Amino acid sequence: MKKILSFAVILAFCVSCAQKPVQQGDFPENAGPIYPDYMDVTIPDNIAPLNFCYTEPGLKDASTTFSCEGLSVTIEGVEVKWKIGKWRKFLKHASGKDIEVSGTPLAEPWKIHVSGDKIAYGINYRLIEPGYEVYSKMGIYERSLSDFDEHPLIENTGFSGCVNCHAYNKGNPDAMSLHIRGDHGATLLMSDGSLEAYNTKTDSTLGFCVYPYWHPSGDYIAYSTNNTRQGFHVKKEKLVEVFDLASDMQIYDVRNNCIITSPELKLENEWETFPCFSPDGGTLYFCRATAHPIPSEVEQIRYNLYKVDFDPITGTIGKDVSLVIDAESEGKSISFPKPSYDGKYIMYTLSDYGNFSIWHHEADLWILDLATGERRRIDEVNSADTESYHNWTADSRWFVFSSRRDDGLFTRLYFAHIDEEGNVGKPFMLPQESPRTFYKDFFMSYNVPEFVNGPVKFDKVRARKIINSPERVPFGFRWSD
């Protein structure tokens, strides 16, 4: 043991190379002394290296030392880049502890808090140009969170259309719902090793199934069906507005290939959207707003959070719909409710109006404590710009969210830790191998991040074949008893 400790004390490595001096414009205008801002963040002990760069203009040289209980690592250069093997060994040593970071040009040391709560294997997301006027190349991509590996699951280069609304059952990589919009429209369902294309529109429903959420049993998927449109503001502070002209709720019975709905979820002058099941599967949450004329009263549309019972044994939707959060009375609107899988919380986005909050600069993340009924804005993670779509890891210790805090235009991904008592740590940006150049030159937005617990074995060849084929498996329909 003494030999091991002695080795730990003297272990260090230095990396030096000719680097370009830091230029004005290399980073967002609001960047701090390092980019990304990893000062005092809380991270899992299996995350990819937190590479960063000093932002002081004209800086040519820097030296950074990472220390934790006898282990010290020094990296030279204005761009701090770890070798993955060295990082993993250091992070394993630092699990459950604090890493102190010091060096020039920063006067004061700072810390990185390393949680023993591991994060999921990876994350899936859509990459899309931020304009939304038209779509060109896009896809669903998988990124390993322990390194920098990214690869496409599906891209629209093999067919004409838009890929969106991907979802997994509590991160299960073998249970996936994916929507294809356009001339080859379909809902792709992957379950138990099979992949099929479905026509999810029936004579009794409004349209195709979107915004999926899996029942914990895997036997059901809640969807909304939306008549969605988009408009464009003339004010420079607002770019895009996305809204529904109509929307309803429905539940897909996977075992019986049948859509289930009820009159309570298809009210004539109400719009229902963004469904999600409780972790025990006995409650369906969703957002609902009173219909208003579009576009004249688009800013009057405000969604509240509701719930209704659901019996997974019989596939029956309850009759009594109850209000959970009355955001409308506060002049606000709720979107993207996501229950934590431990049953403690519901996280949601709160904005001034509407349901498509990713283009609302005032949008923030809030959390509802289901035991106490208390709700609060999550100030630990919100910024002066948009915080929107979010998701939980299976153990409910980490969540991911999208934010436009860098420049107000591109969405980037951030991760935050929440402990057993509900304390939320400072979030950190998705690590990149060379963040200085990556985020400066990358002109795509991250959209709909979803955790996965292992690699997704998605058959791209079959997917392309069945998307381009006119054949679709039809859905049945029944009213809830």
Side-chain angles (χ1 to χ4, degrees), residues 70-126:
L71 186 61
S72 180
V73 174
T74 297
I75 301 177
E76 304 291 339
V78 296
E79 293 186 75
V80 178
K81 291 186 176 182
W82 284 80
K83 294 181 179 179
I84 286 185
K86 294 286 187 182
W87 170 259
R88 287 176 177 169
K89 290 179 181 178
F90 190 86
L91 213 56
K92 182 178 180 180
H93 173 80
S95 181
K97 310 180 185 74
D98 285 348
I99 300 172
E100 183 172 277
V101 188
S102 60
T104 56
L106 301 184
E108 298 293 331
W110 45 279
K111 295 182 184 297
I112 298 173
H113 312 288
V114 184
S115 169
D117 295 325
K118 297 185 182 301
I119 204 164
Y121 158 80
I123 196 163
N124 285 185
Y125 41 76
R126 182 171 67 160

Side-chain angles (χ1 to χ4, degrees), residues 105-167:
L106 301 184
E108 298 293 331
W110 45 279
K111 295 182 184 297
I112 298 173
H113 312 288
V114 184
S115 169
D117 295 325
K118 297 185 182 301
I119 204 164
Y121 158 80
I123 196 163
N124 285 185
Y125 41 76
R126 182 171 67 160
L127 293 177
I128 186 172
E129 294 176 353
Y132 290 95
E133 296 92 344
V134 295
Y135 54 79
S136 53
K137 180 182 177 181
M138 67 169 67
I140 307 298
Y141 299 83
E142 182 169 291
R143 163 71 191 267
S144 167
L145 288 176
S146 62
D147 54 38
F148 304 110
D149 178 64
E150 179 194 80
H151 62 274
L153 296 181
I154 184 171
E155 295 175 310
N156 67 346
T157 53
F159 57 92
S160 175
C162 166
V163 292
N164 63 351
C165 297
H166 56 285

Side-chain angles (χ1 to χ4, degrees), residues 220 260 309-319 478 480-481:
Y220 301 95
I260 308 167
D309 290 340
F310 177 71
D311 185 345
I313 303 300
T314 62
T316 303
I317 300 167
K319 301 295 184 183
R478 75 171 175 87
S480 176
D481 297 334

Side-chain angles (χ1 to χ4, degrees), residues 296-401:
S296 61
E297 296 183 15
V298 66
E299 294 186 5
Q300 304 303 313
I301 299 172
R302 293 188 171 92
Y303 287 78
N304 296 322
L305 183 64
Y306 291 83
K307 68 178 181 179
V308 66
D309 290 340
F310 177 71
D311 185 345
I313 303 300
T314 62
T316 303
I317 300 167
K319 301 295 184 183
D320 297 323
V321 175
S322 57
L323 180 65
V324 179
I325 298 177
D326 183 1
E328 184 178 16
S329 66
E330 301 171 1
K332 294 292 183 178
S333 186
I334 287 179
S335 57
F336 306 129
K338 294 281 184 175
S340 60
Y341 295 115
D342 60 9
K344 290 184 177 181
Y345 309 106
I346 294 180
M347 191 177 297
Y348 56 95
T349 304
L350 199 68
S351 57
D352 286 346
Y353 63 91
N355 72 355
F356 208 75
S357 51
I358 62 173
W359 276 110
H360 283 229
H361 297 294
E362 80 283 358
D364 282 330
L365 293 183
W366 283 63
I367 196 165
L368 167 68
D369 187 318
L370 290 170
T372 66
E374 295 179 358
R375 49 194 173 94
R376 70 176 183 93
R377 185 175 56 204
I378 314 177
D379 291 329
E380 300 92 329
V381 305
N382 288 313
S383 71
D385 215 301
T386 308
E387 273 70 50
S388 187
Y389 196 94
H390 47 276
N391 208 346
W392 298 88
T393 53
D395 63 1
S396 303
R397 293 279 71 84
W398 299 93
F399 60 92
V400 60
F401 63 96

